[in-house]
Coordinates of all heavy atoms in Angstrom, one line a residue:
M27 N 63.4 -271.6 -105.5 CA 62.1 -270.8 -105.6 C 61.3 -271.3 -106.7 O 61.8 -271.7 -107.7 CB 62.5 -269.3 -105.9 CG 61.2 -268.5 -105.9 SD 61.6 -266.7 -106.1 CE 60.1 -266.0 -106.7
D28 N 59.9 -271.6 -106.4 CA 59.0 -272.1 -107.3 C 58.6 -271.0 -108.2 O 58.0 -270.0 -107.8 CB 57.9 -272.7 -106.6 CG 56.9 -273.4 -107.7 OD1 57.1 -273.4 -108.9 OD2 55.8 -273.8 -107.1
N29 N 58.9 -271.0 -109.6 CA 58.5 -269.9 -110.5 C 57.3 -270.3 -111.2 O 56.9 -269.7 -112.3 CB 59.5 -269.6 -111.4 CG 60.8 -268.9 -110.6 OD1 60.4 -268.0 -109.8 ND2 61.9 -269.2 -111.0
S30 N 56.4 -271.4 -110.8 CA 55.3 -271.8 -111.6 C 54.3 -270.7 -111.6 O 54.2 -270.1 -110.4 CB 54.8 -273.0 -111.1 OG 54.6 -273.1 -109.9
V31 N 53.5 -270.6 -112.4 CA 52.4 -269.6 -112.4 C 51.0 -270.4 -112.6 O 50.9 -271.3 -113.5 CB 52.4 -268.6 -113.5 CG1 51.3 -267.7 -113.6 CG2 53.7 -267.9 -113.3
V32 N 50.0 -270.0 -111.8 CA 48.6 -270.6 -111.9 C 47.8 -269.5 -112.3 O 47.8 -268.4 -111.7 CB 48.2 -271.3 -110.5 CG1 46.8 -271.7 -110.7 CG2 49.1 -272.3 -110.1
V33 N 47.0 -269.7 -113.3 CA 46.0 -268.7 -113.8 C 44.6 -269.3 -113.8 O 44.4 -270.4 -114.3 CB 46.4 -268.3 -115.2 CG1 45.2 -267.2 -115.7 CG2 47.7 -267.6 -115.3
E34 N 43.7 -268.7 -113.1 CA 42.2 -269.2 -113.0 C 41.5 -268.2 -113.9 O 41.5 -267.0 -113.4 CB 41.8 -269.2 -111.7 CG 40.4 -269.7 -111.5 CD 40.0 -269.9 -110.1 OE1 40.8 -270.0 -109.2 OE2 38.7 -270.1 -109.9
T35 N 40.8 -268.7 -115.0 CA 40.0 -267.7 -115.7 C 38.6 -267.9 -115.2 O 38.1 -268.9 -115.3 CB 40.2 -268.2 -117.4 OG1 41.5 -267.9 -117.6 CG2 39.3 -267.2 -118.0
M36 N 38.1 -266.7 -114.8 CA 36.7 -266.8 -114.3 C 35.6 -266.8 -115.5 O 35.9 -265.9 -116.4 CB 36.5 -265.6 -113.4 CG 37.5 -265.6 -112.2 SD 37.4 -267.0 -111.2 CE 35.8 -266.9 -110.5
K37 N 34.6 -267.4 -115.4 CA 33.5 -267.3 -116.5 C 32.9 -265.9 -116.5 O 32.7 -265.5 -115.3 CB 32.5 -268.3 -116.3 CG 31.3 -268.4 -117.4 CD 30.4 -269.4 -117.0 CE 29.2 -269.6 -118.0 NZ 29.1 -268.5 -118.9
D38 N 32.9 -265.3 -117.5 CA 32.5 -263.9 -117.7 C 33.1 -262.9 -116.7 O 32.5 -261.9 -116.2 CB 30.9 -264.0 -117.3 CG 30.1 -264.7 -118.1 OD1 30.5 -265.0 -119.4 OD2 29.0 -265.2 -117.8
G39 N 34.4 -263.2 -116.5 CA 35.2 -262.3 -115.5 C 36.8 -262.3 -115.8 O 37.1 -262.7 -116.8
P40 N 37.4 -261.8 -114.8 CA 38.8 -261.6 -114.9 C 39.7 -262.9 -114.9 O 39.1 -264.0 -114.6 CB 39.2 -260.8 -113.6 CG 38.3 -261.2 -112.6 CD 36.9 -261.5 -113.4
N41 N 41.0 -262.8 -115.1 CA 41.9 -263.9 -114.7 C 42.6 -263.6 -113.3 O 42.9 -262.5 -113.0 CB 43.1 -263.8 -115.7 CG 42.8 -264.3 -117.2 OD1 42.0 -265.2 -117.3 ND2 43.4 -263.5 -118.1
L42 N 42.5 -264.6 -112.6 CA 43.1 -264.6 -111.2 C 44.3 -265.2 -111.2 O 44.5 -266.4 -111.7 CB 42.1 -265.3 -110.2 CG 40.7 -264.7 -110.1 CD1 39.8 -265.5 -109.1 CD2 40.7 -263.3 -109.7
I43 N 45.3 -264.5 -110.6 CA 46.6 -265.0 -110.4 C 47.0 -264.9 -108.9 O 46.8 -263.9 -108.4 CB 47.7 -264.3 -111.3 CG1 47.3 -264.4 -112.7 CG2 49.1 -264.7 -111.0 CD1 48.1 -263.5 -113.6
P44 N 47.6 -265.9 -108.3 CA 48.0 -265.7 -106.8 C 49.0 -264.8 -106.7 O 50.0 -264.7 -107.6 CB 48.5 -267.2 -106.6 CG 48.2 -268.1 -107.8 CD 47.9 -267.2 -108.8
G45 N 48.9 -264.0 -105.7 CA 49.9 -262.9 -105.3 C 50.7 -263.4 -104.1 O 50.5 -264.5 -103.6
P46 N 51.6 -262.6 -103.7 CA 51.9 -261.3 -104.3 C 52.6 -261.4 -105.6 O 53.3 -262.4 -105.8 CB 52.7 -260.6 -103.3 CG 53.5 -261.6 -102.5 CD 52.5 -262.8 -102.4
L47 N 52.6 -260.5 -106.6 CA 53.2 -260.5 -107.8 C 53.7 -259.2 -108.1 O 53.4 -258.1 -107.7 CB 52.4 -261.2 -108.8 CG 51.2 -260.6 -109.2 CD1 51.3 -259.5 -110.2 CD2 50.2 -261.6 -109.9
K48 N 54.6 -259.2 -109.1 CA 55.1 -257.9 -109.8 C 54.7 -257.7 -111.2 O 55.0 -258.7 -112.1 CB 56.7 -257.9 -109.6 CG 57.4 -256.7 -110.2 CD 58.9 -256.7 -110.0 CE 59.5 -257.8 -110.7 NZ 61.1 -257.8 -110.5
L49 N 54.2 -256.6 -111.5 CA 53.8 -256.4 -112.8 C 54.8 -255.4 -113.5 O 55.2 -254.4 -112.8 CB 52.4 -255.8 -112.9 CG 51.2 -256.7 -112.5 CD1 49.9 -255.9 -112.5 CD2 51.1 -257.8 -113.4
V50 N 55.2 -255.6 -114.8 CA 55.9 -254.6 -115.3 C 55.3 -254.2 -116.6 O 54.9 -254.9 -117.5 CB 57.4 -255.3 -115.8 CG1 58.2 -254.3 -116.4 CG2 58.0 -256.0 -114.6
D51 N 55.1 -252.7 -116.7 CA 54.5 -252.2 -117.8 C 55.4 -252.1 -119.2 O 56.6 -252.4 -119.1 CB 53.7 -250.9 -117.6 CG 54.6 -249.7 -117.5 OD1 55.9 -249.8 -117.8 OD2 54.2 -248.7 -116.9
A52 N 54.8 -251.7 -120.2 CA 55.6 -251.5 -121.4 C 56.8 -250.6 -121.4 O 57.7 -250.7 -122.2 CB 54.7 -251.2 -122.5
H53 N 56.8 -249.7 -120.3 CA 57.9 -248.6 -120.2 C 58.9 -249.3 -119.0 O 59.7 -248.4 -118.7 CB 57.3 -247.4 -119.8 CG 56.2 -246.9 -120.8 ND1 56.6 -246.4 -122.0 CD2 54.9 -246.7 -120.6 CE1 55.4 -246.1 -122.7 NE2 54.5 -246.3 -121.9
G54 N 58.6 -250.4 -118.6 CA 59.6 -250.9 -117.6 C 59.2 -250.6 -116.2 O 59.9 -250.9 -115.3
K55 N 58.0 -249.9 -116.0 CA 57.6 -249.5 -114.7 C 57.2 -250.7 -113.9 O 56.3 -251.4 -114.5 CB 56.8 -248.4 -114.7 CG 56.2 -247.9 -113.3 CD 55.0 -247.0 -113.4 CE 54.5 -246.7 -112.1 NZ 53.3 -245.9 -112.1
E56 N 57.6 -250.9 -112.7 CA 57.3 -252.1 -111.9 C 56.3 -251.7 -110.8 O 56.5 -250.6 -110.2 CB 58.5 -252.8 -111.4 CG 59.5 -253.4 -112.3 CD 60.7 -253.9 -111.7 OE1 61.0 -253.9 -110.4 OE2 61.5 -254.5 -112.3
V57 N 55.4 -252.5 -110.7 CA 54.3 -252.3 -109.6 C 54.2 -253.7 -108.9 O 53.9 -254.8 -109.6 CB 52.9 -252.0 -110.2 CG1 52.0 -251.8 -109.1 CG2 53.1 -250.6 -111.1
V58 N 54.4 -253.7 -107.6 CA 54.2 -254.9 -106.8 C 52.8 -254.9 -106.1 O 52.5 -253.9 -105.6 CB 55.3 -255.0 -105.7 CG1 55.0 -256.1 -104.8 CG2 56.7 -255.2 -106.3
I59 N 52.2 -255.8 -106.3 CA 50.8 -256.0 -105.8 C 50.9 -257.2 -104.8 O 51.1 -258.3 -105.0 CB 49.8 -256.5 -106.9 CG1 49.8 -255.2 -108.0 CG2 48.4 -256.5 -106.3 CD1 49.0 -255.7 -109.2
D60 N 50.6 -256.7 -103.5 CA 50.7 -257.7 -102.4 C 49.3 -258.1 -101.8 O 48.7 -257.6 -100.8 CB 51.5 -256.9 -101.2 CG 51.8 -257.9 -100.1 OD1 51.7 -259.2 -100.3 OD2 52.1 -257.4 -99.0
R61 N 48.8 -258.9 -102.6 CA 47.4 -259.5 -102.3 C 47.5 -261.0 -102.6 O 48.4 -261.6 -103.3 CB 46.4 -259.0 -103.4 CG 46.1 -257.5 -103.4 CD 45.0 -257.1 -104.3 NE 44.9 -255.7 -104.4 CZ 44.3 -255.1 -105.4 NH1 43.7 -255.9 -106.3 NH2 44.1 -253.7 -105.5
K62 N 46.5 -261.7 -101.9 CA 46.6 -263.1 -101.9 C 46.3 -263.6 -103.4 O 46.7 -264.5 -104.0 CB 45.6 -263.7 -100.9 CG 45.6 -265.3 -100.9 CD 44.8 -265.8 -99.8 CE 44.9 -267.3 -99.7 NZ 44.1 -267.8 -98.6
W63 N 45.3 -262.9 -104.0 CA 44.9 -263.1 -105.3 C 44.9 -261.7 -106.1 O 44.3 -260.7 -105.5 CB 43.6 -263.8 -105.5 CG 43.5 -265.2 -105.1 CD1 43.2 -265.8 -103.8 CD2 43.8 -266.3 -105.9 NE1 43.4 -267.1 -103.9 CE2 43.7 -267.4 -105.1 CE3 44.2 -266.4 -107.2 CZ2 44.0 -268.7 -105.6 CZ3 44.5 -267.8 -107.7 CH2 44.3 -268.8 -106.9
V64 N 45.3 -261.8 -107.3 CA 45.2 -260.4 -108.2 C 44.2 -260.8 -109.3 O 44.6 -261.8 -110.0 CB 46.6 -260.2 -108.6 CG1 46.6 -258.9 -109.5 CG2 47.6 -259.9 -107.4
A65 N 43.4 -259.9 -109.5 CA 42.4 -260.0 -110.7 C 42.7 -259.2 -111.8 O 42.8 -257.9 -111.6 CB 40.9 -259.7 -110.2
L66 N 43.1 -259.7 -113.0 CA 43.6 -259.0 -114.0 C 42.4 -258.9 -115.1 O 41.7 -259.9 -115.4 CB 44.8 -259.7 -114.8 CG 46.0 -259.8 -113.9 CD1 47.1 -260.4 -114.7 CD2 46.5 -258.3 -113.5
C67 N 42.1 -257.7 -115.5 CA 41.0 -257.4 -116.4 C 41.1 -258.2 -117.7 O 42.2 -258.2 -118.3 CB 40.9 -255.9 -116.7 SG 39.6 -255.5 -118.0
R68 N 40.1 -258.7 -118.2 CA 39.9 -259.6 -119.3 C 39.0 -258.9 -120.3 O 39.1 -259.3 -121.5 CB 39.6 -261.1 -119.0 CG 39.9 -261.9 -120.1 CD 40.1 -263.4 -119.6 NE 38.8 -263.9 -119.0 CZ 38.0 -264.7 -119.5 NH1 38.3 -265.2 -120.7 NH2 36.9 -265.0 -118.8
C69 N 38.1 -258.2 -119.9 CA 37.1 -257.5 -120.6 C 37.5 -256.2 -121.4 O 36.9 -255.7 -122.4 CB 35.8 -257.2 -119.9 SG 36.0 -255.6 -118.8
G70 N 38.6 -255.6 -120.9 CA 39.2 -254.3 -121.5 C 38.4 -253.1 -121.2 O 38.8 -252.1 -121.6
Q71 N 37.5 -253.2 -120.2 CA 36.7 -252.0 -119.7 C 37.0 -251.5 -118.4 O 36.4 -250.5 -117.9 CB 35.2 -252.3 -119.8 CG 34.8 -252.8 -121.2 CD 34.9 -251.7 -122.2 OE1 34.6 -250.7 -122.2 NE2 35.6 -252.2 -123.4
S72 N 38.0 -252.0 -117.7 CA 38.3 -251.7 -116.3 C 38.8 -250.2 -116.3 O 39.5 -249.9 -117.2 CB 39.3 -252.5 -115.7 OG 39.8 -251.9 -114.5
N73 N 38.5 -249.4 -115.3 CA 39.1 -248.1 -115.2 C 40.2 -248.1 -114.4 O 40.7 -247.1 -114.1 CB 38.0 -247.2 -114.5 CG 36.9 -246.9 -115.4 OD1 37.0 -246.5 -116.6 ND2 35.6 -247.2 -114.9
N74 N 40.8 -249.3 -114.1 CA 41.9 -249.4 -113.2 C 42.9 -250.5 -114.0 O 43.4 -251.3 -113.2 CB 41.7 -249.8 -111.8 CG 42.8 -249.7 -110.8 OD1 43.7 -249.0 -111.1 ND2 42.8 -250.5 -109.8
K75 N 43.1 -250.5 -115.2 CA 43.9 -251.5 -115.9 C 45.3 -251.6 -115.3 O 45.8 -250.4 -115.1 CB 43.8 -251.3 -117.3 CG 42.5 -251.5 -118.1 CD 42.6 -251.3 -119.4 CE 41.3 -251.1 -120.2 NZ 40.7 -249.9 -120.2
P76 N 45.9 -252.6 -115.2 CA 45.5 -254.0 -115.7 C 44.7 -254.6 -114.7 O 44.2 -255.8 -115.1 CB 46.7 -254.7 -115.9 CG 47.8 -254.1 -114.9 CD 47.3 -252.6 -114.7
L77 N 44.2 -254.0 -113.7 CA 43.4 -254.8 -112.6 C 42.0 -254.6 -112.9 O 41.4 -253.7 -113.5 CB 43.6 -254.1 -111.3 CG 45.1 -254.2 -110.8 CD1 45.2 -253.4 -109.5 CD2 45.7 -255.6 -110.8
C78 N 41.1 -255.7 -112.6 CA 39.7 -255.7 -112.7 C 39.1 -254.9 -111.6 O 39.6 -254.9 -110.4 CB 39.4 -257.2 -112.5 SG 37.5 -257.4 -112.4
D79 N 38.2 -254.1 -112.0 CA 37.4 -253.3 -111.0 C 36.0 -253.5 -110.9 O 35.2 -252.9 -110.4 CB 37.6 -251.8 -111.3 CG 37.0 -251.4 -112.6 OD1 36.4 -252.2 -113.3 OD2 36.9 -250.1 -112.9
G80 N 35.6 -254.8 -111.6 CA 34.2 -255.2 -111.6 C 33.3 -254.7 -112.6 O 32.1 -254.9 -112.8
T81 N 34.0 -253.8 -113.5 CA 33.1 -253.2 -114.6 C 32.7 -254.4 -115.5 O 31.6 -254.2 -116.3 CB 34.0 -252.2 -115.4 OG1 34.4 -251.1 -114.5 CG2 33.2 -251.6 -116.6
H82 N 33.3 -255.5 -115.6 CA 32.8 -256.6 -116.6 C 31.4 -256.9 -116.4 O 30.7 -257.2 -117.3 CB 33.7 -257.8 -116.4 CG 33.8 -258.4 -115.0 ND1 34.7 -258.0 -114.1 CD2 33.0 -259.3 -114.4 CE1 34.5 -258.7 -112.9 NE2 33.5 -259.4 -113.1
S83 N 30.9 -256.8 -115.1 CA 29.5 -257.2 -114.8 C 28.6 -256.1 -115.4 O 27.5 -256.4 -116.0 CB 29.4 -257.2 -113.2 OG 30.0 -258.3 -112.8
K84 N 29.1 -254.9 -115.2 CA 28.1 -253.7 -115.7 C 28.1 -253.8 -117.2 O 27.0 -253.4 -117.8 CB 28.8 -252.4 -115.2 CG 28.9 -252.2 -113.8 CD 29.4 -250.9 -113.4 CE 29.7 -250.9 -111.8 NZ 30.7 -249.9 -111.4
V85 N 29.2 -254.1 -118.0 CA 29.1 -254.1 -119.3 C 28.5 -255.5 -120.0 O 28.6 -255.5 -121.2 CB 30.5 -253.7 -119.9 CG1 30.9 -252.3 -119.4 CG2 31.4 -254.7 -119.7
G86 N 28.3 -256.4 -119.2 CA 27.9 -257.7 -119.6 C 28.7 -258.5 -120.4 O 28.5 -259.2 -121.4
F87 N 30.1 -258.4 -119.9 CA 31.1 -259.2 -120.5 C 30.8 -260.7 -120.4 O 30.4 -261.2 -119.4 CB 32.5 -259.0 -119.8 CG 33.5 -259.8 -120.4 CD1 34.1 -259.5 -121.6 CD2 34.2 -260.7 -119.5 CE1 35.1 -260.4 -122.1 CE2 35.3 -261.5 -120.0 CZ 35.7 -261.3 -121.2
K88 N 31.0 -261.4 -121.7 CA 30.7 -262.8 -121.7 C 31.9 -263.5 -122.1 O 32.6 -263.1 -123.1 CB 29.5 -263.1 -122.6 CG 28.1 -262.5 -122.1 CD 27.7 -263.1 -120.9 CE 26.4 -262.6 -120.4 NZ 26.1 -262.8 -119.1
S89 N 32.2 -264.7 -121.6 CA 33.3 -265.5 -122.0 C 33.0 -267.0 -121.9 O 32.0 -267.4 -121.4 CB 34.6 -265.1 -121.2 OG 34.4 -265.6 -119.8
D90 N 34.0 -267.8 -122.2 CA 33.8 -269.3 -122.0 C 33.7 -269.6 -120.6 O 33.8 -268.9 -119.7 CB 35.0 -269.9 -122.7 CG 35.1 -269.8 -124.3 OD1 34.0 -269.4 -124.8 OD2 36.2 -269.9 -124.8
E91 N 33.6 -270.9 -120.4 CA 33.7 -271.5 -119.0 C 34.9 -271.1 -118.3 O 35.9 -270.8 -118.9 CB 33.5 -273.0 -119.2 CG 32.3 -273.4 -119.9 CD 31.1 -273.3 -118.9 OE1 31.1 -273.5 -117.8 OE2 30.0 -273.0 -119.5
A92 N 34.9 -271.2 -117.0 CA 36.1 -271.0 -116.3 C 37.1 -272.1 -116.5 O 36.7 -273.1 -116.8 CB 35.8 -271.0 -114.8
K93 N 38.4 -271.7 -116.5 CA 39.5 -272.5 -116.8 C 40.7 -272.3 -115.8 O 40.8 -271.2 -115.2 CB 39.9 -272.3 -118.2 CG 39.0 -272.5 -119.4 CD 39.5 -272.3 -120.6 CE 38.5 -272.5 -121.8 NZ 38.9 -272.1 -123.1
F94 N 41.4 -273.4 -115.6 CA 42.6 -273.3 -114.9 C 43.9 -273.6 -115.8 O 43.7 -274.5 -116.4 CB 42.4 -274.3 -113.7 CG 41.3 -274.0 -112.9 CD1 40.1 -274.6 -113.2 CD2 41.3 -273.2 -111.8 CE1 38.9 -274.4 -112.4 CE2 40.2 -273.0 -111.1 CZ 39.1 -273.5 -111.4
Y95 N 44.9 -272.9 -115.5 CA 46.1 -273.0 -116.3 C 47.1 -273.3 -115.2 O 47.4 -272.5 -114.3 CB 46.5 -272.0 -117.1 CG 45.5 -271.6 -118.2 CD1 44.5 -270.6 -117.9 CD2 45.4 -272.2 -119.3 CE1 43.4 -270.3 -118.8 CE2 44.5 -271.9 -120.3 CZ 43.5 -271.0 -120.0 OH 42.5 -270.6 -121.0
R96 N 47.7 -274.5 -115.3 CA 48.9 -274.8 -114.4 C 50.0 -275.3 -115.3 O 49.8 -276.1 -116.2 CB 48.5 -275.9 -113.3 CG 47.5 -275.3 -112.4 CD 47.1 -276.4 -111.4 NE 46.1 -276.0 -110.6 CZ 46.2 -275.5 -109.4 NH1 47.4 -275.2 -108.9 NH2 45.2 -275.1 -108.8
P97 N 51.3 -275.0 -114.9 CA 52.4 -275.6 -115.6 C 52.6 -277.1 -115.5 O 52.1 -277.6 -114.6 CB 53.6 -274.9 -115.1 CG 53.2 -274.4 -113.8 CD 51.7 -274.2 -113.8
Ligands
FES28 S1 37.4 -258.2 -116.2 FE1 36.7 -257.2 -114.5 S2 36.7 -255.2 -115.3 FE2 37.5 -256.3 -117.0

């Protein structure tokens, strides 16, 4: 199994990670997200953390250029 992770950082937006994936919170609760791409909030303003809900656009979140992280 390939355990490599690809993260795409969107300019002025979320981090995109290919799904499906499993998230584990600080209490050990696991959530499986069965989507082709999962958008994780980077602005801190989402009402559905850790997922992006588009609020970054409403609050005018600004960030660096888009980046890609590959192992
Ligand atoms: S990055 Fe989209 S709501 Fe935070």
Side-chain angles (χ1 to χ4, degrees):
M27 181 177 166
D28 181 6
N29 289 323
S30 62
V31 175
V32 176
V33 178
E34 181 176 343
T35 299
M36 305 300 295
K37 182 176 181 349
D38 304 333
N41 286 323
L42 298 178
I43 301 173
L47 60 80
K48 178 174 63 178
L49 297 175
V50 182
D51 72 12
H53 305 289
K55 181 182 174 189
E56 297 181 356
V57 177
V58 175
I59 302 173
D60 189 14
R61 296 182 187 163
K62 186 172 182 176
W63 287 93
V64 178
L66 297 177
C67 178
R68 199 159 60 105
C69 73
Q71 302 300 313
S72 173
N73 292 306
N74 191 28
K75 293 181 190 87
L77 304 177
C78 170
D79 67 356
T81 300
H82 59 270
S83 295
K84 297 176 191 161
V85 299
F87 176 67
K88 298 293 179 199
S89 66
D90 293 338
E91 298 289 321
K93 295 179 181 169
F94 300 91
Y95 301 95
R96 292 179 188 269

